[in-house]
């Protein structure tokens, strides 16, 4: 049975820039950084507060994302937050452009989008009432 998401892997165009964004700007803890000589590739493991992880990879010949989020494959990565407006302000104070806050018509929850350094769409989504902080 599936219990939870363990990690999400992201291939980055500039590993140092992405590491700075996710670790320093967003504040995720770096668990490990591994250089794999056979692949000429870096792997950086980052921890989310709930125990899930992000894995950042560099590959020398990785191509760019082919199209907008509606292409097949990963559409976006969503982070659950207690307060979307507060998180939006926190991101903007760090120089990150964040879209206007919207309300999901199916759940009545607030959400918004921003992008990582490679243009990967990232979402902040309001936690349901009673969810742990």
């Amino acid at each position: 049975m599936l219990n939870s998401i363990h990690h999400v892997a992201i291939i980055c165009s500039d590993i140092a820039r992405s590491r700075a964004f996710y670790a320093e700007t967003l504040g995720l803890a770096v668990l490990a950084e591994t250089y794999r000589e056979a692949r000429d590739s870096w792997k950086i493991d980052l921890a989310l507060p709930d125990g899930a992880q992000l894995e950042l990879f560099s590959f020398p010949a990785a191509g760019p994302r082919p199209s907008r989020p509606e292409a097949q494959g990963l559409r976006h990565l969503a982070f659950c937050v207690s307060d979307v407006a507060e998180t939006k302000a926190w991101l903007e104070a760090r120089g990150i452009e964040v879209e206007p806050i919207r309300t999901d018509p199916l759940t009545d929850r607030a959400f918004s989008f921003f992008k990582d350094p490679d243009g990967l769409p990232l979402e902040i989504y309001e936690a349901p009432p009673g969810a742990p902080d």
Side-chain angles (χ1 to χ4, degrees):
M1 272 194 311
L2 304 177
N3 293 326
S4 64
I5 291 177
H6 179 267
H7 69 269
V8 174
I10 300 171
I11 298 173
C12 311
S13 66
D14 181 328
I15 194 74
R17 182 179 67 176
S18 291
R19 182 196 189 285
F21 178 80
Y22 285 99
E24 297 166 23
T25 305
L26 297 185
L28 302 183
V30 176
L31 299 173
E33 295 183 69
T34 307
Y35 179 71
R36 300 177 303 176
E37 190 172 343
R39 293 182 174 192
D40 188 22
S41 171
W42 281 95
K43 177 181 183 269
I44 301 173
D45 299 311
L46 302 161
L48 288 156
D50 70 352
Q53 296 178 20
L54 290 183
E55 294 179 345
L56 303 181
F57 288 91
S58 69
F59 291 108
R65 184 177 173 92
S67 67
R68 302 278 306 161
E70 287 72 24
Q72 290 181 356
L74 179 67
R75 183 171 182 175
H76 62 265
L77 175 59
F79 297 99
C80 188
V81 301
S82 298
D83 186 316
V84 172
E86 181 180 299
T87 305
K88 180 180 187 296
W90 181 82
L91 291 167
E92 290 172 336
R94 285 157 178 74
I96 299 170
E97 185 177 328
V98 183
E99 293 180 4
I101 295 173
R102 296 182 272 164
T103 301
D104 184 329
L106 299 176
T107 65
D108 203 32
R109 301 264 179 258
F111 70 98
S112 185
F113 283 92
F114 62 105
K115 294 180 182 176
D116 85 347
D118 288 311
L120 178 67
L122 303 174
E123 180 180 8
I124 48 177
Y125 197 87
E126 180 183 5
D133 286 337

